[in-house]
Amino acid sequence: CGLNSKGQLGISDDTLNFTQIEILKEFKIVHISCGWDFSAAVSECGKQFVWGNNQNTQLGLSKSITCTGIPSRLQVSQKLATGFKRISCGLRHSVMLTKYGGVLVAGTGAKGQLGLGDNFDDNNYLSISRVPEVNDAISVASGQHHTLALRENGTVLSWGENKYGQL
């Protein structure tokens, strides 16, 4: 329920009542996350669905799709992932935990929140990228302009903006 200006509810209109997302009824959803005006869900079988604003490719969809109110299954190459466990949506980026502990990112990286290094350019990248050298994550979280990954050994990696000491 709520404002649906960019399709972030996964239904056709704004609503003040809780409404089930029809397209997801056939899946057992085990994890959800909401960004500024986009949303995502992961099913028990490892499928990921995304909907809402994609102006910064934060959904991981093609740059030609700027917005969608229909939950879409995220399709990635098997090189990147064979399934998903979790997703965390930030302001204009998302971070995804793959079935085998890899971390994928999508969206804007202007403040380093994608963990792709100093040479990152918002105008020259694929819609989904793998964070280098992170293959053992068990949880991910994102804030407005930063990202965290918890590794199997209990250590936490962080990257992005540290203006207020959030890293």
Side-chain angles (χ1 to χ4, degrees), residues 2 23-24 47-48 53 72-73 91 101 155 160:
I23 202 164
L24 298 178
K47 291 178 171 71
Q48 183 169 299
N53 188 0
S72 303
R73 182 172 168 216
L91 178 67
T155 59

mmCIF file of all heavy atoms in Angstrom, residues 2 23-24 47-48 53 72-73 91 101 155 160:
data_model
loop_
_atom_site.group_PDB
_atom_site.id
_atom_site.type_symbol
_atom_site.label_atom_id
_atom_site.label_comp_id
_atom_site.label_asym_id
_atom_site.label_seq_id
_atom_site.Cartn_x
_atom_site.Cartn_y
_atom_site.Cartn_z
ATOM 1 N N GLY A 2 0.320 2.348 -0.453
ATOM 2 C CA GLY A 2 1.039 3.617 -0.438
ATOM 3 C C GLY A 2 1.074 4.285 -1.791
ATOM 4 O O GLY A 2 0.293 3.975 -2.684
ATOM 5 N N ILE A 23 1.039 -11.051 -9.558
ATOM 6 C CA ILE A 23 2.043 -11.792 -10.327
ATOM 7 C C ILE A 23 2.964 -12.630 -9.425
ATOM 8 O O ILE A 23 3.565 -13.598 -9.866
ATOM 9 C CB ILE A 23 2.851 -10.838 -11.233
ATOM 10 C CG1 ILE A 23 3.492 -11.599 -12.382
ATOM 11 C CG2 ILE A 23 3.873 -10.042 -10.450
ATOM 12 C CD1 ILE A 23 3.963 -10.710 -13.509
ATOM 13 N N LEU A 24 3.037 -12.279 -8.141
ATOM 14 C CA LEU A 24 3.918 -13.009 -7.220
ATOM 15 C C LEU A 24 3.179 -14.082 -6.414
ATOM 16 O O LEU A 24 3.807 -14.796 -5.627
ATOM 17 C CB LEU A 24 4.608 -12.032 -6.260
ATOM 18 C CG LEU A 24 5.527 -10.999 -6.919
ATOM 19 C CD1 LEU A 24 6.116 -10.071 -5.868
ATOM 20 C CD2 LEU A 24 6.629 -11.668 -7.718
ATOM 21 N N LYS A 47 14.654 -17.096 -7.290
ATOM 22 C CA LYS A 47 14.322 -16.127 -8.336
ATOM 23 C C LYS A 47 14.202 -14.741 -7.698
ATOM 24 O O LYS A 47 13.708 -14.603 -6.584
ATOM 25 C CB LYS A 47 13.015 -16.493 -9.023
ATOM 26 C CG LYS A 47 13.103 -17.750 -9.856
ATOM 27 C CD LYS A 47 11.752 -18.080 -10.476
ATOM 28 C CE LYS A 47 11.830 -19.199 -11.474
ATOM 29 N NZ LYS A 47 12.074 -20.502 -10.940
ATOM 30 N N GLN A 48 14.653 -13.725 -8.438
ATOM 31 C CA GLN A 48 14.534 -12.355 -7.944
ATOM 32 C C GLN A 48 13.607 -11.565 -8.853
ATOM 33 O O GLN A 48 13.696 -11.654 -10.072
ATOM 34 C CB GLN A 48 15.897 -11.686 -7.894
ATOM 35 C CG GLN A 48 15.820 -10.288 -7.316
ATOM 36 C CD GLN A 48 17.189 -9.757 -7.021
ATOM 37 O OE1 GLN A 48 17.919 -10.317 -6.221
ATOM 38 N NE2 GLN A 48 17.547 -8.682 -7.662
ATOM 39 N N ASN A 53 10.998 2.288 -10.148
ATOM 40 C CA ASN A 53 11.880 3.191 -10.878
ATOM 41 C C ASN A 53 13.177 2.489 -11.268
ATOM 42 O O ASN A 53 13.799 1.819 -10.451
ATOM 43 C CB ASN A 53 12.190 4.409 -9.998
ATOM 44 C CG ASN A 53 12.935 5.493 -10.735
ATOM 45 O OD1 ASN A 53 13.240 5.382 -11.916
ATOM 46 N ND2 ASN A 53 13.237 6.560 -10.023
ATOM 47 N N SER A 72 9.176 -7.879 -12.512
ATOM 48 C CA SER A 72 9.869 -8.609 -13.573
ATOM 49 C C SER A 72 10.933 -9.494 -12.966
ATOM 50 O O SER A 72 11.668 -9.067 -12.073
ATOM 51 C CB SER A 72 10.539 -7.623 -14.536
ATOM 52 O OG SER A 72 9.601 -6.741 -15.070
ATOM 53 N N ARG A 73 11.038 -10.703 -13.477
ATOM 54 C CA ARG A 73 12.089 -11.604 -12.996
ATOM 55 C C ARG A 73 13.424 -11.114 -13.531
ATOM 56 O O ARG A 73 13.578 -10.874 -14.734
ATOM 57 C CB ARG A 73 11.832 -13.031 -13.453
ATOM 58 C CG ARG A 73 12.892 -13.960 -12.917
ATOM 59 C CD ARG A 73 12.579 -15.399 -13.169
ATOM 60 N NE ARG A 73 13.771 -16.173 -12.884
ATOM 61 C CZ ARG A 73 14.136 -17.238 -13.549
ATOM 62 N NH1 ARG A 73 13.385 -17.690 -14.531
ATOM 63 N NH2 ARG A 73 15.229 -17.873 -13.235
ATOM 64 N N LEU A 91 19.169 4.056 -1.923
ATOM 65 C CA LEU A 91 18.453 5.176 -2.521
ATOM 66 C C LEU A 91 18.284 4.982 -4.024
ATOM 67 O O LEU A 91 17.168 4.998 -4.535
ATOM 68 C CB LEU A 91 19.199 6.491 -2.246
ATOM 69 C CG LEU A 91 18.587 7.742 -2.855
ATOM 70 C CD1 LEU A 91 17.257 8.069 -2.206
ATOM 71 C CD2 LEU A 91 19.544 8.913 -2.749
ATOM 72 N N GLY A 101 27.164 -16.903 -2.421
ATOM 73 C CA GLY A 101 27.953 -15.940 -1.663
ATOM 74 C C GLY A 101 28.573 -14.807 -2.439
ATOM 75 O O GLY A 101 29.312 -13.999 -1.878
ATOM 76 N N THR A 155 33.538 -11.130 9.376
ATOM 77 C CA THR A 155 34.015 -9.780 9.081
ATOM 78 C C THR A 155 32.989 -9.051 8.210
ATOM 79 O O THR A 155 32.210 -9.668 7.488
ATOM 80 C CB THR A 155 35.383 -9.785 8.365
ATOM 81 O OG1 THR A 155 35.259 -10.511 7.140
ATOM 82 C CG2 THR A 155 36.453 -10.419 9.242
ATOM 83 N N GLY A 160 31.476 2.938 -0.109
ATOM 84 C CA GLY A 160 30.565 4.020 -0.461
ATOM 85 C C GLY A 160 30.874 5.272 0.324
ATOM 86 O O GLY A 160 31.969 5.450 0.863
#
